Amino acid sequence: MGYPGKNHKSYQTPKRPWEKTRIEEETRLVIEYGLRNKREVWKAQSHLRKYRKAARELLALMSNAADQAVFDAKKTELISHMQRVGLLGPDADVDDVLALKVPAHLERRLQTLVYRKGLARSPKQARQLVTHGHIAIAGRRVTIPGYLVHRGEENDIAYYGKSPFVDASHAERTRITKPAGAAGSGVN
């Protein structure tokens, strides 16, 4: 066991580092979501890998008829957790956990939701606004672009109270328009 104060790696690097299709897909995700580097894609993959592992363990438990009550309890716990986080919909099952892809995880990041809500012009600007402390969730400043926003917190994303962006006449804010794909953008 290591020193408890030491940070540990929260991702795994690819086993085949020069695979062309993987590199192109990761590059596309980095550009589309305005990520800092591919390490953030690998973190998302590792996060989803943990959920998939739990789902596979559940399916292994299901084969044993004596543990049906344990299976139902663990299944309910996993599915409800993932619904609270926002990775799954209301009528999801264990198969939906196994079918999750990296973009589903990247869509739940604060940086992406700031852009989707129309608080920034681009994903890169959304990252900058979060990092510089202009974004708050329920009035509390959050400066981590990779913060996973729960479903209940999604509607509470706004500019921080002391930020100059609160003023609607701010020069940069007048240039910001909601993206075409954003829900409720009002653009027809």
Side-chain angles (χ1 to χ4, degrees):
M1 201 158 141
Y3 178 68
K6 181 174 171 32
N7 292 333
H8 298 284
K9 218 161 105 172
S10 58
Y11 62 91
Q12 290 179 345
T13 56
K15 290 180 181 175
R16 300 178 66 193
W18 305 112
E19 190 176 17
K20 184 178 179 182
T21 56
R22 182 195 49 78
I23 291 172
E24 290 171 349
E25 176 64 20
E26 288 174 352
T27 304
R28 186 188 64 76
L29 288 173
V30 166
I31 292 169
E32 180 181 345
Y33 289 98
L35 305 177
R36 181 174 171 216
N37 50 34
K38 292 182 183 177
R39 191 177 311 132
E40 293 187 346
V41 175
W42 299 337
K43 284 180 184 180
Q45 289 171 343
S46 293
H47 198 228
L48 291 178
R49 193 175 298 123
K50 291 175 187 175
Y51 286 129
R52 278 194 226 102
K53 181 180 178 188
R56 285 193 307 272
E57 289 172 357
L58 275 176
L59 291 175
L61 252 176
M62 186 175 71
S63 64
N64 190 352
D67 294 336
Q68 188 63 32
V70 174
F71 167 75
D72 291 336
K74 287 188 176 187
K75 175 185 169 189
T76 305
E77 181 182 348
L78 176 67
I79 299 294
S80 64
H81 169 74
M82 294 187 74
Q83 288 171 342
R84 273 193 316 274
V85 171
L87 290 172
L88 293 179
D91 54 344
D93 198 19
V94 176
D95 294 333
D96 297 326
V97 175
L98 295 172
L100 279 176
K101 301 290 181 207
V102 173
H105 185 273
L106 295 176
E107 285 291 332
R108 300 306 308 166
R109 290 168 48 99
L110 178 60
Q111 171 184 354
T112 305
L113 290 174
V114 166
Y115 172 63
R116 299 279 189 247
K117 285 190 76 156
L119 300 175
R121 285 189 286 163
S122 68
K124 287 281 190 182
Q125 186 185 34
R127 181 180 191 89
Q128 184 181 29
L129 290 176
V130 172
T131 303
H132 290 206
H134 295 291
I135 302 297
I137 297 177
R140 294 189 68 168
R141 184 187 312 198
V142 180
T143 59
I144 302 166
Y147 175 80
L148 288 180
V149 180
H150 289 53
R151 244 185 241 283
E153 299 172 331
E154 194 171 343
N155 294 329
D156 297 333
I157 299 173
Y159 293 116
Y160 182 62
K162 295 180 181 178
S163 170
F165 282 88
V166 172
D167 183 20
S169 63
H170 188 275
E172 185 63 28
R173 190 165 168 194
T174 56
R175 291 187 221 147
I176 296 173
T177 58
K178 289 192 178 185
S185 62
V187 178
N188 291 336

